[in-house]
Structure formats: C-alpha cells, structure tokens
Amino acid sequence: MSANTPKFLPRLSVATALSAATIAAAFAFSPDGIAHGGGLRLLGRLHPLLVHFPIALLLLVPLLEILGRRSAALRETAGTVLTLSLVGAVLSVFAGLALMRADGHEGIMLENHLWGGATVAVATALAWLMRARSRSLYVLSLVASLSALAWAAHQGGSLTHGEDYLTLPLMASKTISVKPEDAEIYNHSVGLLFQTKCGKCHQGNNNKG
C-alpha cells in the first residue's frame, strides 16, 4: 500500500458514488415525452444556470494546472476548482433530468445532450480521483471531460437555438440577394420567417419545443 492509500479510498468511494448515481439517473429517467410537472419544474428551471458553472470551472482547470507548475498556491487552487467542477457537473445532470421530466422534452438531440453531460460528470469524477494518484490518467480523464463538455455544449446549444444557429446569418445573407419579383412568397417570406423565428425550438430534435 502506498502512503496515499488512506486518502485515496474515501475519494474512490465518493467518485464511484457520484458516477454511479449520475449514470443510474440517466438510465432511470430517460426521455418519455410526458410532461410530469410538479416540484421537478423548480429544480429543472435551475439547469440553464447550473450548467454554465462547471463549464467555466472546467475550462479554468487546465490553465491553473499549467500556471501551477511555478506556484504551489495555484496548484492547490486547481484542485479546489476541479472539486467544484465535479459538484457542478453532477448537479447539472440532475437539474437537466428534472427539466426534461417536468416539461416532457424528448428527441435524439436531447438524449445526446443528456449523455454528453453524464459523460462530463463521470470523466470529471475520474480526473478528481486520479489527480493525486496518476498524472497520466489525470490528464487523460481531464481531456476526456473537456471533449465531452464540448460535445454536450454543442448539443445543448443546437437544442436551444437550432442546428443552424451559427450558419443562419450566412444563409440569411444569401436569401437577401433574391430579387423580390423572382421570389416565391412562401419560400422566401413566410417559410423563411417560420424557419428563423420558430424552427429553432419547434423542430424534430426538440419535439416539445
């Protein structure tokens, strides 16, 4: 047994419990398209607020680790920030599940967002566990957490704003070039209005939007 074993075992228990609870909840409360309402809605409405908390903190961890090579204080801060990231990631998943169940959201993009968030939580738990145990595993799990974060954030942004949110201004600029006399009234007026103002939320990937 290494000298770090007494400290490692409690961390292993916490990381395992948080990971297991996150995965079990994601499986148990899969999207069913039914608006259950109730007290879940209050927790669910906190999801947009909570989800940005671990995003900012996780992005800060690598920077603190790099700067911490010359500062013990910054290395210690990186560990604290990582701990807060783990807590925020787990809370975000549970708040997201509450929002999904309360309002009856469903769709493939929602499921991708859900499992992306669960992966962030589990990978962050592994990074938190391995930070003082194995540098290589810590770096790998942190990279996995950040990669899953990028994926989950993209799915969440597309779910909220539409898949073409980033490219829509380019599409709109092309539409402006169409001459009024050549434009079909629906395709270039009514249809475009629905696409830009309604289609972001009311679309197949967010059936309850």
Side-chain angles (χ1 to χ4, degrees):
M1 274 191 185
S2 67
N4 292 328
T5 299
K7 295 181 180 180
F8 178 75
L9 292 179
R11 293 176 74 92
L12 176 61
S13 300
V14 172
T16 302
L18 291 177
S19 299
T22 300
I23 295 174
F27 272 114
F29 301 103
S30 57
D32 58 9
I34 301 174
H36 296 269
L40 290 174
R41 184 166 281 118
L42 177 60
L43 175 60
R45 295 297 169 87
L46 294 176
H47 178 67
L49 174 65
L50 290 173
V51 77
H52 292 92
F53 182 64
I55 290 176
L57 293 180
L58 271 174
L59 292 175
L60 187 59
V61 170
L63 178 61
L64 290 172
E65 292 287 9
I66 293 172
L67 296 177
R69 293 176 179 177
R70 298 184 178 181
S71 171
L74 288 178
R75 283 198 304 274
E76 184 177 348
T77 302
T80 301
V81 171
L82 182 61
T83 301
L84 294 175
S85 300
L86 173 57
V87 174
V90 173
L91 289 178
S92 295
V93 172
F94 278 90
L97 287 169
L99 179 62
M100 178 194 72
R101 295 282 291 181
D103 293 341
H105 295 292
E106 61 179 345
I108 185 62
M109 192 173 292
L110 176 65
E111 294 186 29
N112 290 339
H113 180 56
L114 166 61
W115 284 107
T119 302
V120 172
V122 173
T124 304
L126 182 59
W128 179 76
L129 177 65
M130 289 292 117
R131 186 172 183 269
R133 188 77 172 185
S134 171
R135 190 68 181 178
S136 58
L137 289 178
Y138 169 59
V139 172
L140 286 175
S141 55
L142 188 59
V143 169
S145 178
L146 292 172
S147 299
L149 176 64
W151 166 253
H154 172 67
Q155 296 299 313
S158 297
L159 187 65
T160 304
H161 301 292
E163 293 181 83
D164 59 351
Y165 181 68
L166 292 177
T167 59
L168 188 59
L170 299 176
M171 296 171 57
S173 64
K174 291 181 180 180
T175 305
I176 294 175
S177 65
V178 177
K179 295 180 180 180
E181 60 268 23
D182 297 332
E184 298 178 17
I185 293 177
Y186 181 83
N187 289 339
H188 296 289
S189 297
V190 180
L192 180 61
L193 181 63
F194 282 142
Q195 178 184 352
T196 56
K197 301 299 182 181
C198 307
K200 294 186 297 183
C201 294
H202 299 272
Q203 33 99 359
N205 290 317
N206 186 12
N207 299 334
K208 290 289 184 178

